[in-house]
Amino acid sequence: MDDCTLFLKKQFSTIAHEDNFDLARRSTIGAGGTAKLAFFPTTAEECIRLIDGLENCKIKYTVLGNLSNVLPSDGESKTVYILTQNLKGIKVGKSFFAYAGTSSATFLRSCEAHGKSGAEFLSGIPCTVGGAAFMNAGVSGRYLSEIVESVLYYSDGELHSLSVSECEYAYKKSRFMKENGVILGVNFRLNDADLQTIRKERSFFMAKRKHLPKGKSMGCIFKNPENLTAGKLVENAGLKGLRYGGAVVSQEHANFIINDRKATAREIKNLIALMKNAVYTQYKISLEEEIRYLN
């Protein structure tokens, strides 16, 4: 164990952590190597302590939620990972606040219990509130930015309550993708509704996800180009079923890659490159990844 890891473990001994964190075991794609150290803060205060300490020591870090739309690299990562999945909970008062590590399923159950509607489009998406706010998660033309009132965010040594306009949301984009910091929680703007209406909406969006492929994946690989569908472009390029090592383009949905034979991250990256090249060659359209690559 190197001096840096020993220092961090001593400095933050009261915060839950894991040595040689297995990224392949925890990521939804089931690929990647290990990280020397991962922390699991349970409070906003612990998150802030970690960020301050790592930045003061100029140590590279990455904040993650559910590892559902990320591709970790193979081998050993020098990056320290901060996983917010234990920073969870919901406060209901004048506003509806959820901590970053709260799962979408837990969030939606609480919405239902309190008669709050507007977030049903998140049904079935395996994300945390923080992850959804980071990438402006959405489906069927609905996006998290539509229901965000403000985001509790820590960066540059300061705690911010950012309005939705300050989050700089766009299609699968936000200011958080350009900065170092940590989303601690989100205040939501929701509507009052009866239980029957909420459940009907949730069922509608769950039904729309039934056709999605089963198996280890990252969800959609590419963003949709304007007025086009990435999956349809990949499909029309004849790439359904295309395999590279243990990774294969799904037969059910061509914007999904399935890890069905213990694919490495390198194999998945190579398959993504083949997909992009084929679409560009045939249609002169450059597909842009929706997923994040982790180093």
Side-chain angles (χ1 to χ4, degrees):
M1 190 177 295
D2 60 27
D3 293 339
C4 175
T5 303
L6 285 171
F7 166 76
L8 290 173
K9 290 178 66 176
K10 183 177 180 180
Q11 183 80 1
F12 303 112
S13 60
T14 60
I15 301 176
H17 56 270
E18 185 176 323
D19 296 322
N20 300 314
F21 180 66
D22 189 339
L23 290 157
R25 183 172 61 86
R26 299 295 288 272
S27 63
T28 58
I29 188 63
T34 60
K36 281 190 175 181
L37 193 57
F39 286 98
F40 304 86
T42 58
T43 66
E45 290 74 20
E46 287 184 347
C47 283
I48 290 170
R49 279 181 55 210
L50 278 170
I51 297 293
D52 285 346
L54 292 167
E55 291 191 347
N56 288 338
C57 296
K58 294 180 169 50
I59 296 171
K60 184 180 177 182
Y61 67 89
T62 296
V63 180
L64 295 170
N66 202 39
L67 281 82
S68 57
N69 69 326
V70 297
L71 179 60
S73 296
D74 296 319
E76 185 181 68
S77 173
K78 304 298 183 184
T79 301
V80 172
Y81 287 95
I82 301 173
L83 284 87
T84 61
Q85 58 195 242
N86 292 339
L87 176 62
K88 54 191 176 182
I90 291 170
K91 295 180 179 179
V92 181
K94 290 183 179 179
S95 62
F96 199 101
F97 178 84
Y99 282 103
T102 306
S103 71
S104 58
T106 297
F107 171 58
L108 289 169
R109 283 196 297 270
S110 186
C111 288
E112 186 175 299
H114 289 89
K116 295 296 182 179
S117 177
E120 291 86 356
F121 64 91
L122 294 174
S123 298
I125 299 177
C127 62
T128 60
V129 164
F134 178 88
M135 70 170 296
N136 194 18
V139 65
S140 300
R142 298 288 310 280
Y143 299 97
L144 198 82
S145 55
E146 299 172 19
I147 58 172
V148 169
E149 184 174 281
S150 62
V151 173
L152 186 62
Y153 183 59
Y154 185 76
S155 67
D156 298 323
E158 294 185 8
L159 189 62
H160 308 272
S161 179
L162 301 177
S163 67
V164 65
S165 61
E166 290 175 309
C167 295
E168 299 175 18
Y169 279 124
Y171 172 53
K172 300 296 176 73
K173 286 184 180 179
S174 73
R175 70 178 287 175
F176 311 115
M177 295 179 173
K178 304 180 288 185
E179 303 177 4
N180 272 338
V182 57
I183 295 171
L184 299 171
V186 179
N187 273 305
F188 289 96
R189 184 180 64 253
L190 302 170
N191 304 314
D192 293 328
D194 60 78
L195 186 60
Q196 183 178 359
T197 298
I198 295 170
R199 288 183 173 174
K200 183 178 179 181
E201 281 291 291
R202 288 192 64 181
S203 296
F204 171 79
F205 285 103
M206 285 298 293
K208 291 179 75 70
R209 296 187 62 81
K210 283 187 176 179
H211 72 285
L212 296 180
K214 303 296 189 293
K216 296 179 180 178
S217 79
M218 296 172 282
C220 287
I221 301 295
F222 302 111
K223 299 177 183 179
N224 290 324
E226 189 172 1
N227 299 321
L228 295 169
T229 303
K232 189 59 70 173
L233 288 168
V234 175
E235 179 179 349
N236 291 344
L239 301 181
K240 275 190 171 182
L242 179 67
R243 176 177 292 279
Y244 195 107
V248 62
V249 178
S250 170
Q251 292 282 7
E252 287 77 31
H253 193 309
N255 202 11
F256 276 62
I257 288 176
I258 305 299
N259 180 357
D260 68 346
R261 297 182 187 175
K262 296 183 179 179
T264 64
R266 182 186 63 82
E267 290 171 342
I268 296 167
K269 286 180 182 178
N270 285 340
L271 183 54
I272 290 171
L274 288 173
M275 296 163 75
K276 292 176 72 172
N277 288 338
V279 169
Y280 185 79
T281 298
Q282 294 193 44
Y283 302 108
K284 297 300 183 284
I285 295 173
S286 297
L287 292 177
E288 180 183 353
E289 285 93 324
E290 179 177 317
I291 63 164
R292 295 170 62 200
Y293 295 104
L294 304 179
N295 297 317

